[in-house]
């Protein structure tokens, strides 16, 4: 016979106070599960938006989509709002819903062990806690990737990764180098080409660039949003559907007309907006658009054509105290060198030590590469659920929407315990293997496998991302297939 569990007898630990951790707290409270804590290793909430403060930072997902569905914001300044505004939004929402008071700042969880049906948690500061559930909201692009370039430590000027920006370093009138031209490097270049006396962008591989204007919302528009909150909800829904039917479908079908349309727009952007034929050829990629994560920018081409800007396509030989020496022998003299070289995208909850019910460590389970059933649950890690975990829809969607859908799914797993069906549950090994095999097969049709290097690809060259349509993701998240789970008492 099943016996219902009172919600107040369930304790949840949320790891991380970024977008997904804040969301989890709000949703748990709403579901009557008020006994939870959020552990955050930093001294401030915000995750990605706390860490990435580089000049030019903005989100290239429309702001009215990159907002919680339950907390629309009539005050977004632009269609694609700057990073500081997004950070302020999360701080405001966390305060509004009383989440900020539930965060244990400066507490990095370094160990979670499932012992006798509960999770035992230890933080680096020595705090111990126990919980029935863990929600890992630890982010995706979180661990900076530093390039292996000889002499990096010899540079005499200021050197930092784009996600560790040193705001004490003056930029105006200085000589700035940027290594990397992904979404980050392109935004930095566009922002700094008008401030630096000399801006050198070190490009290893050209990028396709989708032009996208970014109009500011007028006061009248914001007033109308405030007066009619339902119009904001409708806008959120409309943009979401546009994304799902457009870009999301295109990337998973490399041969589609939609994909061709996107490529045509990028090509026209290059042809029409870069006037110097030599520069145009050096900016022209030799792989398909959106194979790498598509770069979206209204002003990158304009910036790189400024007299202050130089596109360096010679290979970097080494870093010297005075700057970057390229293979042609030229020394690019610099005061500041920014590493916009991306992130280690395969870390997820690691380096945290996670020990499951059989005593096996997550690091062993993921020795080859990370995997999880529907990116949420790992076999033998009962009641341990990830938001934006391995192989989920990342890259070009609103990760807020992804996390909201995932949380709705996780909530239904928690309900299994609440209703007394089991004390804990995790995806079965069989379901996880089948899911992994299916996604690897489906990935062959996607644009990400058409011949380029990118952070989407795992060590085998298989895209580690959701290879189906966004509609399918929504359907999968609507209701768990409980046959895919092992139930434990
Ligand atoms: P990224 O896309 O991984 O780009 C890293 C860049 O560094 C690439 O240009 C890469 O060149 C270059 N690089 C790496 N190692 C190098 C080396 N040893 N020598 C020379 N060049 C090297 O990283 P990211 O630009 O930080 O972006 C990561 C992701 O964050 C994006 O794809 C996106 O999903 C997200 N993001 C989103 C936004 C937004 O607006 N929503 C903004 C920023 C970032 P290769 O291309 O040759 O590998």
């Amino acid at each position: 016979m099943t016996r219902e569990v009172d919600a107040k007898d369930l304790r949840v630990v949320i790891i991380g106070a970024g977008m997904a951790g804040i969301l989890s707290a709000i949703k748990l409270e709403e579901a009557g599960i008020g006994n939870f804590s959020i552990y955050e290793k930093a001294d401030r909430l915000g995750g990605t938006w706390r860490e990435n403060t580089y000049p030019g930072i903005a989100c290239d997902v429309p702001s009215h989509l990159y907002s919680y569905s339950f907390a629309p914001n009539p005050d977004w300044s632009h269609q694609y709002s700057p990073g500081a505004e997004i950070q302020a939004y999360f701080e405001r929402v966390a305060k509004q819903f009383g989440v900020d008071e539930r965060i244990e700042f400066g507490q990095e969880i370094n160990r979670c062990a499932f012992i006798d049906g509960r999770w035992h948690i230890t933080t680096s500061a020595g705090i111990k806690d126990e919980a029935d559930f863990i929600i890992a909201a630890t982010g995706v692009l979180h661990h900076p990737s530093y390039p292996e370039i000889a002499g990096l430590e010899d540079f005499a000027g200021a050197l930092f990764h784009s996600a560790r920006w040193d705001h004490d370093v003056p930029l105006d009138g200085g000589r700035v180098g940027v290594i990397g031209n992904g979404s980050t490097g392109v935004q930095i270049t566009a922002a700094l080409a008008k401030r630096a006396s000399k801006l050198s962008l070190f490009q290893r591989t050209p990028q396709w660039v989708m032009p996208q204007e970014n109009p500011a919302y007028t006061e009248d528009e914001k007033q109308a949003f405030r007066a009619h909150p339902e119009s904001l909800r409708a806008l959120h829904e409309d943009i979401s559907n546009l994304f799902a039917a457009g870009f999301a479908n295109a990337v998973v079908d490399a041969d589609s007309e939609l994909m061709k349309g996107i490529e045509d727009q990028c090509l026209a952007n290059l042809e029409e907006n870069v006037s110097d034929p030599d520069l145009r050829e050096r900016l022209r990629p030799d792989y398909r658009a959106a194979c790498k994560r598509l770069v979206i920018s209204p002003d990158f081409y304009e910036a790189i054509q400024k007299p202050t800007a130089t596109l360096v396509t010679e290979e970097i030989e080494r870093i010297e105290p005075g700057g970057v020496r390229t293979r042609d022998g030229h020394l690019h003299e610099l005061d500041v060198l920014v590493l916009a070289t991306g992130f280690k995208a395969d870390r997820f909850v690691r380096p945290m030590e996670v020990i499951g019910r059989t005593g096996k460590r997550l690091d062993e389970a993921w020795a080859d590469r990370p995997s999880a059933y529907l990116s949420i649950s790992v076999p033998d890690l009962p009641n341990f659920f990830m938001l934006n975990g391995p192989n989920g829809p990342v890259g070009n969607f609103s990760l807020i929407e992804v996390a909201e859908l995932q949380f709705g799914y996780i909530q239904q797993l928690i309900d299994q315990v609440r209703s007394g069906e089991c004390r804990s549950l995790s995806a079965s090994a069989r379901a996880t293997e089948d899911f992994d095999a299916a996604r690897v097969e489906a990935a062959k049709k996607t644009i990400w496998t058409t011949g380029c290097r990118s952070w989407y690809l795992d060590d085998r060259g298989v895209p580690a991302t959701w290879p189906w349509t966004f509609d399918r993701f929504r359907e999968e998240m609507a209701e768990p297939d409980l046959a895919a789970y092992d139930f434990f008492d």
Side-chain angles (χ1 to χ4, degrees), residues 54 58-60 141 147 149 179-185 187 204-205 292-293 340-343 395 453 455:
Y54 58 79
C59 183
D60 60 18
L141 299 171
I149 302 176
I179 300 182
N181 59 333
S183 304
T184 304
Q187 286 181 336
R204 188 165 66 177
T205 316
K292 285 172 179 287
R293 202 276 193 177
T341 43
F343 299 85
R453 170 178 46 208
W455 64 263

Side-chain angles (χ1 to χ4, degrees), residues 9 11 57 92 95 105 114 133 189 199 231 233 236 269 377 382 405 412 435:
D9 294 329
R11 175 157 173 75
I57 185 167
R92 205 164 57 241
K95 205 172 174 53
F105 287 108
F114 192 76
F133 295 93
T189 301
L199 189 283
S231 69
R233 274 189 289 277
H236 186 282
N269 187 27
S377 176
L405 291 165
Q412 295 177 66
F435 170 73

Side-chain angles (χ1 to χ4, degrees), residues 469-488:
T469 62
F470 200 68
D471 285 338
R472 175 159 170 181
F473 180 70
R474 279 198 188 117
E475 281 160 27
E476 292 274 9
M477 290 299 107
E479 190 181 352
D481 170 10
L482 295 174
Y485 283 82
D486 291 329
F487 285 55
F488 307 104

Side-chain angles (χ1 to χ4, degrees), residues 276-323:
D276 173 44
D278 173 57
L279 180 65
R280 198 188 309 137
E281 288 323 301
R282 292 193 299 132
L283 286 167
R284 188 188 301 275
D286 62 357
Y287 57 87
R288 294 191 58 187
C291 179
K292 285 172 179 287
R293 202 276 193 177
L294 193 61
V295 169
I296 296 169
S297 173
D299 50 4
F300 169 65
Y301 286 151
E302 185 192 327
I304 202 66
Q305 293 176 90
K306 282 193 191 304
T308 46
T310 310
L311 179 75
V312 183
T313 49
E314 276 293 328
E315 204 181 323
I316 297 173
E317 186 167 281
R318 62 177 180 274
I319 313 287
E320 298 181 4

